Amino acid sequence: RKEVEQDPGPFNVPEGATVAFNCTYSNSASQSFFWYRQDCRKEPKLLMSVYSSGNEDGRFTAQLNRASQYISLLIRDSKLSDSATYLCVVIPNTGFQKLVFGTGTRLLVSP
Amino acid sequence: EPEVTQTPSHQVTQMGQEVILRCVPISNHLYFYWYRQILGQKVEFLVSFYNNEISEKSEIFDDQFSVERPDGSNFTLKIRSTKLEDSAMYFCASSNRGGRDTQYFGPGTRLTVL
């Protein structure tokens, strides 16, 4: 089983739509979770950390379900500029800094 | 805003040649990392570096790879004898503290091995 699994998409949505991505992770000892965004041929950039209680940053909401070992990202009111690949990222062990990336979910927002 | 920089942006080399990829991490950061991304695939961890030594490395990071912090600002990745399968985007990252502290990525060096 892959350490971090994501649906590669693409998800094609119109502007203003709400879209949700899920991600599952295999290591139940994982402690830290993130969503990164990657534009074509660019570096990954942190979008938001994911906390057990769930957290929101503007139009973006992240949720963590430890029992089911999945993480979600909800984007409301999609903008054209949201078109990118969204990477689910996990730090599998405490005390280390190795980021484990999923393959990413591609989002295309159209006018 | 401080940023991680990498040079060169694109490196083309012949199989069997040595390459050195250079990174300047954010100045007050203490933890440094290299990741790679083969075209169309996921980002993969190579190595982390703290206090002038490797703190963790992946199975990809074999004897052909080495890292160095030759001075107070640069962090380098050397590939001793490049293979075709080393062709990838190599990202350097740095963070202030370890653990879940945010890792900031540089723009990457695209390595093409012919």
Side-chain angles (χ1 to χ4, degrees):
Chain A
R1 184 181 170 187
K2 291 180 184 175
E3 286 189 89
V4 180
E5 290 202 66
Q6 294 183 252
D7 180 345
F11 284 56
N12 290 285
V13 302
E15 268 187 295
T18 295
V19 62
F21 309 133
N22 289 328
C23 157
T24 57
Y25 60 95
S26 60
N27 186 339
S28 59
S30 299
Q31 294 295 317
S32 302
F33 310 92
F34 310 90
W35 284 101
Y36 275 70
R37 170 195 169 126
Q38 186 175 33
D39 293 290
C40 189
R41 295 178 178 263
K42 301 278 190 178
E43 73 272 25
K45 290 186 177 177
L46 179 66
L47 181 65
M48 58 197 304
S49 301
V50 187
Y51 303 113
S52 297
S53 54
N55 47 299
E56 190 174 303
D57 183 2
R59 299 181 292 109
F60 299 85
T61 300
Q63 297 275 356
L64 168 64
N65 184 320
R66 284 189 183 273
S68 302
Q69 293 178 216
Y70 85 78
I71 306 151
S72 64
L73 177 68
L74 182 79
I75 305 175
R76 290 181 299 278
D77 188 24
S78 299
K79 312 288 185 196
L80 295 176
S81 56
D82 293 335
S83 295
T85 297
Y86 291 83
L87 308 175
C88 179
V89 182
V90 171
I91 296 181
N93 304 94
T94 55
F96 296 90
Q97 309 90 41
K98 165 187 163 181
L99 298 180
V100 178
F101 287 78
T103 52
T105 298
R106 193 163 170 224
L107 172 66
L108 299 170
V109 182
S110 53
Chain B
E1 184 179 317
E3 57 184 21
V4 177
T5 59
Q6 290 185 243
T7 54
S9 56
H10 190 191
Q11 173 93 46
V12 181
T13 190
Q14 295 290 326
M15 193 168 57
Q17 294 297 303
E18 175 183 287
V19 295
I20 298 176
L21 310 183
R22 302 179 193 280
C23 167
V24 179
I26 294 172
S27 62
N28 63 338
H29 284 186
L30 302 176
Y31 294 81
F32 315 114
Y33 316 86
W34 284 101
Y35 293 83
R36 80 170 186 192
Q37 186 175 31
I38 295 170
L39 188 63
Q41 298 187 23
K42 65 179 182 178
V43 177
E44 299 175 290
F45 169 81
L46 292 178
V47 65
S48 60
F49 191 86
Y50 169 70
N51 200 25
N52 281 319
E53 60 183 26
I54 291 172
S55 46
E56 189 175 2
K57 61 182 181 179
S58 72
E59 60 273 11
I60 302 168
F61 194 89
D62 62 21
D63 292 344
Q64 293 299 312
F65 291 88
S66 62
V67 289
E68 196 178 28
R69 187 152 165 84
D71 53 43
S73 60
N74 289 283
F75 180 51
T76 62
L77 174 69
K78 182 193 292 186
I79 309 175
R80 261 180 274 284
S81 177
T82 49
K83 306 183 187 68
L84 295 176
E85 54 265 36
D86 293 328
S87 294
M89 182 74 94
Y90 288 81
F91 294 108
C92 173
S94 70
S95 67
N96 190 14
R97 301 180 299 270
R100 61 176 300 141
D101 199 38
T102 301
Q103 294 185 23
Y104 294 88
F105 283 74
T109 292
R110 180 164 298 283
L111 176 65
T112 302
V113 183
L114 302 176

